[in-house]
Amino acid sequence: MPGPRQPTDLVKANGRKHLSQAEEDERRDREVHVPPPDKAQPPRWLLKKFHREFTEIGEILRQAGLYTELDRDVLGQFLVARDRWLRADKLASAAIRDKDEKLAKEWTGVQASYFKQCRQCAEVMGLSISSRCRLVVPEVLANAAKEVDETDEFTRALRARQARAMGE
């Protein structure tokens, strides 16, 4: 059984398959390309209290190439589900503290439901370590990112600072 379909650029970068120009063009025509936005803007329905965090997480995802305008609702749903999970957690903790088993059982059920929603959104957006590990970055592109012209004084100073910070 074949693996998941990979973008043409990734297939070419891996170097395991030779594509003729016609095959490459045909393959690219079937791919869906959504341009990344200039900045991550929250959806209109999202409460104002979530806007700052939405923008922060959205910018991190956008810079990593994991965010498009189509992902706005999922990121918003993640923030709402996480907030509701936190509230349910507080109420479940209070019920446990008060030794009210019936209420604690109800709130832990609600808490589990919101946690499941939160986890699903995080998986879809690449916010969890396991979902990021499924992202495939070809070795050629990773090596290209490492190649930097070290003749620039600013770059040398930056590299030295990074090495000191990493304890190297």
Side-chain angles (χ1 to χ4, degrees), residues 99-151:
K99 297 183 172 126
D100 186 347
E101 289 182 31
K102 183 180 177 190
L103 190 60
K105 186 175 181 178
E106 288 176 25
W107 278 114
T108 54
V110 171
Q111 178 189 22
S113 175
Y114 284 128
F115 182 76
K116 184 187 262 185
Q117 290 176 18
C118 189
R119 188 180 66 229
Q120 286 174 332
C121 290
E123 288 285 323
V124 169
M125 292 296 298
L127 297 176
S128 68
I129 186 70
S130 60
S131 63
R132 281 193 307 276
C133 286
R134 282 187 227 118
L135 298 174
V136 179
V137 178
E139 211 172 297
V140 174
L141 297 178
N143 291 337
K146 291 179 187 175
E147 295 174 17
V148 177
D149 183 14
E150 296 289 337
T151 59

Side-chain angles (χ1 to χ4, degrees), residues 60-80:
I60 292 168
L61 291 170
R62 189 184 67 77
Q63 289 175 3
L66 301 175
Y67 179 83
T68 67
E69 285 297 313
L70 299 174
D71 302 316
R72 288 187 332 170
D73 285 337
V74 176
L75 183 54
Q77 290 165 351
F78 166 77
L79 295 171
V80 170

Side-chain angles (χ1 to χ4, degrees), residues 21-76:
Q21 189 62 47
E23 290 172 323
E24 188 178 323
D25 289 341
E26 179 185 339
R27 221 182 134 98
R28 283 186 200 280
D29 288 343
R30 289 183 292 184
E31 290 178 1
V32 176
H33 294 282
V34 179
D38 294 332
K39 66 179 201 170
Q41 287 193 300
R44 289 186 202 137
W45 58 265
L46 189 63
L47 298 174
K48 295 283 183 201
K49 70 179 186 176
F50 298 118
H51 281 212
R52 185 180 62 76
E53 191 170 16
F54 181 97
T55 304
E56 284 178 20
I57 295 172
E59 283 302 309
I60 292 168
L61 291 170
R62 189 184 67 77
Q63 289 175 3
L66 301 175
Y67 179 83
T68 67
E69 285 297 313
L70 299 174
D71 302 316
R72 288 187 332 170
D73 285 337
V74 176
L75 183 54

